[in-house]
Amino acid sequence: MAERAISDSTIFRLRAAQRDLIDACGGIARAAKICNYSAGHVGRWNNPNDNDLMPITAVVALEGDCGRALVTSIMADLNGRDLTDGAPAEATGNVDAAYADVLGALAAATSEYAIAKEDGRISPSEAERIDRAVAHFIREAEELRAGLASIKAPTPRLVREA
């Protein structure tokens, strides 16, 4: 099988996803404990200017802890696949609050973008701030969608096995 080059944009997506994963697990110190790597090593994974990518064992441990396939979904997409979550959607308890969170995250992302574009261009550090704000917006939107799904289908369906 021939080797396939991974584009720089995919590497940037993977590095952003691993930073989001560290965030989702409670930060560098907690992520280090979960995946059995030093805080310095995890700090390099969290640094947008460092090229270190997480080993798969760390990805599995961290995604298992937070329950979100942030890095795995990028890898699946790279190979033309989608991930589906077979677990039933959890009720958010308050869709109105989730919707407000989505709007707040969108406003923050919009603000970061507007600030960056004041001089007519977006620098790499500004792109990093925008990317983090957009990632937060996406997480909030996913939570809202899960809450809406639980309203649409509040009870699990029984499936008869053949």
Side-chain angles (χ1 to χ4, degrees):
M1 183 181 289
E3 266 188 49
R4 192 170 44 151
I6 298 175
S7 70
D8 287 345
S9 65
T10 298
I11 296 294
F12 284 119
R13 286 178 64 203
L14 285 167
R15 288 171 42 203
Q18 70 187 25
R19 289 189 302 274
D20 292 344
L21 183 56
I22 291 166
D23 247 8
C25 289
I28 293 171
R30 186 166 182 281
K33 288 178 185 173
I34 293 165
C35 69
N36 260 348
Y37 279 83
S38 71
H41 208 114
V42 176
R44 284 191 294 279
W45 298 334
N46 198 53
N47 181 345
N49 299 315
D50 197 298
N51 292 324
D52 249 6
L53 290 175
M54 290 179 177
I56 197 71
T57 54
V59 171
V60 169
L62 295 173
E63 287 183 345
D65 179 76
C66 72
R68 299 178 61 210
L70 296 167
V71 174
T72 301
S73 64
I74 303 288
M75 292 188 297
D77 185 53
L78 178 62
N79 289 292
R81 304 282 192 240
D82 286 329
L83 297 183
T84 58
D85 188 358
E90 294 180 14
T92 62
N94 190 344
V95 174
D96 292 338
Y99 185 70
D101 291 343
V102 168
L103 294 180
L106 177 60
T110 302
S111 175
E112 286 293 344
Y113 186 82
I115 290 168
K117 289 295 285 184
E118 282 179 346
D119 64 356
R121 67 176 204 76
I122 298 175
S123 71
S125 63
E126 290 168 331
E128 176 62 26
R129 285 194 305 276
I130 294 166
D131 184 53
R132 285 183 183 250
V134 169
H136 179 69
F137 166 72
I138 290 169
R139 284 192 304 273
E140 295 295 345
E142 287 171 348
E143 288 181 25
L144 173 60
R145 292 188 74 204
L148 294 170
S150 70
I151 290 170
K152 293 188 290 185
T155 56
R157 286 185 254 166
L158 296 176
V159 177
R160 179 176 286 159
E161 292 184 19

